[in-house]
Amino acid sequence: MNNEQKNSYVKKQITAALVGLLKEKSIADISVKELTQKAQVGRVSFYRNYQTKEDILREEADRLIKEWGRRYETNPESSPETLFPSLFDFYRENKEYYTILYQAGMASVMLETILNTIQITDEMENLEAYLKSFWAYGIYGWMIEWIKRGMPESGSELLTLFKQANFSLSL
């Protein structure tokens, strides 16, 4: 195994161990020592890769959203109409991870990931930035409520519900 493969293995072990421990206790109650023992890696491995336990969850959320992005981009059937259901189906496919994030009080990691993916920049015109922000927080809100309810609908069922809502912005 080369160094890159070893580091990838270590990160996978640490991530899996943290997700497993989060099923039993809060992130604040998990020590780095306990985490590295469960992952069967040294403490140095943790500190070489992360500053905090939360960094593990952020990195995994980033990895997952990039995986979804690759799938979406390479799927010949992808279109603007399939983006929303595709994203929610991917979250549902990774239900355990996202439910644990929510239950651990780390749902903000999902919001950070969505905002990073949408890429709102200071250089954008205000209208574009506001619209992107509206969609990012809207998707996040739907996602949180959906997770709280056990993710019962598929992505296409959620799209149908969204269309039924017939959103109008009358303030």
Side-chain angles (χ1 to χ4, degrees):
M1 231 189 263
N2 65 31
N3 282 343
E4 188 176 318
Q5 290 170 323
K6 286 179 190 175
N7 203 44
S8 178
Y9 171 80
V10 165
K11 286 181 170 190
K12 283 179 186 174
Q13 290 295 105
I14 291 172
T15 301
L18 181 57
V19 169
L21 288 167
L22 283 170
K23 292 177 187 176
E24 305 162 12
K25 54 175 78 176
S26 75
I27 197 163
D29 292 335
I30 299 169
S31 69
V32 172
K33 180 180 180 180
E34 180 182 21
L35 176 59
T36 55
Q37 283 177 341
K38 182 159 178 99
Q40 298 180 329
V41 300
R43 287 175 58 94
V44 171
S45 294
F46 172 86
Y47 289 110
R48 184 181 325 117
N49 292 288
Y50 307 105
Q51 292 182 354
T52 67
K53 294 170 283 189
E54 292 80 3
D55 289 344
I56 299 164
L57 300 174
R58 284 184 190 92
E59 185 175 276
E60 181 64 4
D62 286 344
R63 185 193 69 75
L64 286 170
I65 202 74
K66 286 175 184 167
E67 180 183 327
W68 167 75
R70 281 190 298 278
R71 283 191 201 177
Y72 182 78
E73 293 294 324
T74 59
N75 183 346
E77 296 178 17
S78 291
S79 68
E81 181 78 9
T82 63
L83 187 128
F84 186 86
S86 169
L87 178 63
F88 277 84
D89 284 339
F90 184 81
Y91 272 73
R92 194 178 195 200
E93 184 180 319
N94 293 281
K95 180 179 182 172
E96 180 184 43
Y97 176 74
Y98 291 110
T99 301
I100 286 169
L101 259 187
Y102 172 76
Q103 291 171 343
M106 297 294 300
S108 62
V109 169
M110 289 182 272
L111 177 59
E112 289 172 29
T113 304
I114 293 167
L115 289 169
N116 289 339
T117 302
I118 286 184
Q119 299 177 346
I120 301 169
T121 66
D122 293 338
E123 294 77 33
M124 285 180 178
E125 294 291 327
N126 288 355
L127 179 59
E128 182 181 8
Y130 298 156
L131 284 171
K132 282 188 169 195
S133 180
F134 173 82
W135 284 109
Y137 283 91
I139 289 169
Y140 174 71
W142 273 69
M143 200 164 288
I144 293 303
E145 192 59 38
W146 181 59
I147 290 168
K148 285 190 326 193
R149 293 169 182 261
M151 299 176 155
E153 297 90 359
S154 69
S156 58
E157 290 169 327
L158 285 171
L159 181 61
T160 300
L161 290 175
F162 185 77
K163 287 177 179 178
Q164 286 175 358
N166 194 14
F167 283 99
S168 64
L169 295 175
S170 56
L171 300 176

